[in-house]
Amino acid sequence: MGVVSIIGCGFVADLYMRSLQAMDGITVAGVHDHNPARLRQFCDFWEVPAVDTLEQLLDRHPRDGVVLNLTNPSAHFEVNSACLDAGCHTYSEKPLAMTLQDAKSLHDKANAAGLMLASAPCSVLGEAAQTLGHALRTGIAGTPRAIYAELDDGFVPQAAYKKWISESGAPWPFEDEFRVGCTLEHAGYYLGWLISWFGSVRTVVAASAQTIPDKEGTGPFAPDLSVATLFFENGPMTRLTCSIVAPHDHQIRIIGDDGVLACKAAWDNSAKVTFAKRLTIRRRLMESPFPKALKLSQPTHPKVKRWGAAAMNFMLGPAEMLEAIRAGRPSRLSNDFALHMTEVTLAMQNAGETSGAQTMTTGCDPMEPMPWAM
Ligand SMILES: NC(=O)c1ccc[n+]([C@@H]2O[C@H](COP(=O)([O-])OP(=O)(O)OC[C@H]3O[C@@H](n4cnc5c(N)ncnc54)[C@H](O)[C@@H]3O)[C@@H](O)[C@H]2O)c1
């Protein structure tokens, strides 16, 4: 299908390599990390070519391939800029950049050069998100009126995170995770789905706070809890919560005129998607206690077994870009989609107590469904 090069080979890079093994025909041209010991450990484990400098990596990267930027968020702007300046289509781990100004400048740079610039997460291209999208388009639950989506990870500061080691030996970077914050890290997992179905968010009314200031490591730390109300140009009012405080809950519920569509796992491509019809039994209004499991009628995409907290194919996004380059068509993970998701995420993260209503300045169209979910 095509060629990728990888920059940054820490914790998440192993999840990409495991996913890559499930995909047909994607090869790795080269891998670079500015930590030579980590680069060697990763490349020996996965048997992929190590490249000593970023310049060499970009130099030898084929221009019809995709560079994966899997570095820490604070390096995203600089590394994404370097990839685009070198004329490379770029898939960036989230967020695209740490400020809206930087994200906009990357977006403008990519557009001016005719390059693709996409942002993780790509679970929007996965089976669960596409099954829900199909259910929304076919109207099984009637008009959607409201959505509740939760990305609560449990009380992570008390978790045994020092024992979370990736397959090839990278520790989970807890200090960086606490500094970047769960909103920048995770909001995209449901924002991506929501924006793909409904297009642009018009207004964000959010609040965010640090509820556990004395986390381990060197701060300053980011908010560890955010709650946002999203008003779409063309979609139902939505509440989205991100935290590393509240008990683990990754469900999304779409409340329609005829019942509730739901999925309980944001990080599992194969998660069950259900529809609970609304009923009146005697005088009592309720959603059916026996929800129906919804399935697409066609085979979907290669799945990856659960590793740690996720059962996701991290290569669906890069594969979508490679396929779009090969076919000469726009990528579903468009530059506008990446920028808009970043703006909404930053509005949640930076809301604090007093931001009030924030009007979004970017936008994008809803995403074309995957062919197997039409
Ligand atoms: N940890 C997870 O579970 C997880 C899951 C999904 C996505 N992500 C995302 O993946 C990205 C990376 O996270 P991680 O957990 O792998 O972090 P990590 O700290 O384990 O790895 C990042 C790697 O990038 C390298 N690096 C940093 N700046 C660099 C630069 N300028 N040039 C070359 N190499 C550089 C570091 O040396 C390190 O090896 C983040 O954006 C994060 O949001 C992480």
Side-chain angles (χ1 to χ4, degrees), residues 29-338:
V31 179
H32 168 68
D33 195 296
H34 65 185
N35 174 343
R38 178 60 199 148
L39 177 64
R40 181 60 49 211
Q41 187 183 28
F42 180 87
C43 291
D44 286 352
F45 185 90
W46 293 105
E47 299 180 343
V48 285
V51 183
D52 289 337
T53 68
L54 178 60
E55 293 66 35
Q56 285 164 357
L57 178 118
L58 295 174
D59 228 29
R60 64 153 82 167
H61 174 75
R63 294 305 183 258
D64 59 355
V66 174
V67 179
L68 313 186
N69 176 4
L70 312 184
T71 62
N72 306 94
S74 57
H76 285 181
F77 173 67
E78 181 198 326
V79 172
N80 286 334
S81 293
C83 297
L84 295 171
D85 285 339
C88 302
H89 299 295
T90 304
Y91 180 87
S92 172
E93 252 305 335
K94 63 205 152 39
L96 218 45
M98 297 296 281
T99 67
L100 181 58
Q101 194 189 356
D102 283 354
K104 279 185 172 165
S105 100
L106 291 171
H107 174 266
D108 291 352
K109 197 189 277 266
N111 281 359
L115 292 169
M116 292 178 188
L117 172 65
S119 166
C122 62
S123 61
V124 57
L125 304 173
E127 188 175 299
Q130 295 284 323
T131 305
L132 273 172
H134 184 265
L136 282 165
R137 286 192 302 283
T138 51
I140 175 173
T143 303
R145 302 292 179 177
I147 299 181
Y148 282 10
E150 331 292 343
L151 289 162
D152 292 308
D153 283 349
F155 207 90
V156 174
Q158 287 178 3
Y161 48 72
K162 289 200 176 141
K163 295 187 181 151
W164 300 349
I165 309 284
S166 74
E167 239 180 305
S168 71
W172 189 68
F174 65 90
E175 280 192 81
D176 200 44
E177 290 268 340
F178 293 158
R179 281 193 290 258
V180 173
C182 57
T183 305
L184 280 191
E185 293 281 355
H186 297 158
Y189 284 104
Y190 275 141
L191 278 180
W193 299 22
L194 294 159
I195 295 170
S196 80
W197 302 328
F198 305 119
S200 302
V201 175
R202 185 178 64 238
T203 312
V204 176
V205 183
S208 62
Q210 249 204 92
T211 62
I212 314 168
D214 53 343
K215 287 183 274 291
E216 184 176 6
T218 312
F221 298 128
D224 49 31
L225 192 160
S226 66
V227 184
T229 315
L230 309 174
F231 295 88
F232 286 87
E233 291 288 1
N234 192 11
M237 181 174 167
T238 297
R239 184 193 73 193
L240 174 61
T241 308
C242 297
S243 89
I244 50 166
V245 180
H248 190 281
D249 182 356
H250 278 190
Q251 70 176 323
I252 184 167
R253 288 171 291 169
I254 303 171
I255 298 114
D257 283 344
D258 298 332
V260 176
L261 294 166
C263 175
K264 287 197 171 151
W267 294 352
D268 179 351
N269 292 149
S270 310
K272 199 157 137 190
V273 172
T274 58
F275 171 57
K277 195 173 164 51
R278 190 166 304 110
L279 313 159
T280 302
I281 296 181
R282 297 207 185 98
R283 283 179 302 172
R284 188 159 160 226
L285 180 69
M286 62 166 78
E287 271 85 39
S288 168
F290 306 107
K292 184 178 164 206
L294 303 181
K295 285 248 166 249
L296 292 168
S297 57
Q298 297 188 50
T300 60
H301 58 81
K303 303 284 173 30
V304 178
K305 278 209 196 104
R306 173 168 300 279
W307 197 93
M312 288 189 285
N313 185 336
F314 284 78
M315 285 301 291
L316 293 178
E320 161 65 15
M321 293 173 76
L322 289 170
E323 180 55 32
I325 294 164
R326 198 194 55 74
R329 64 162 171 83
S331 164
R332 287 178 177 81
L333 298 178
S334 69
N335 301 8
D336 289 352
F337 181 81

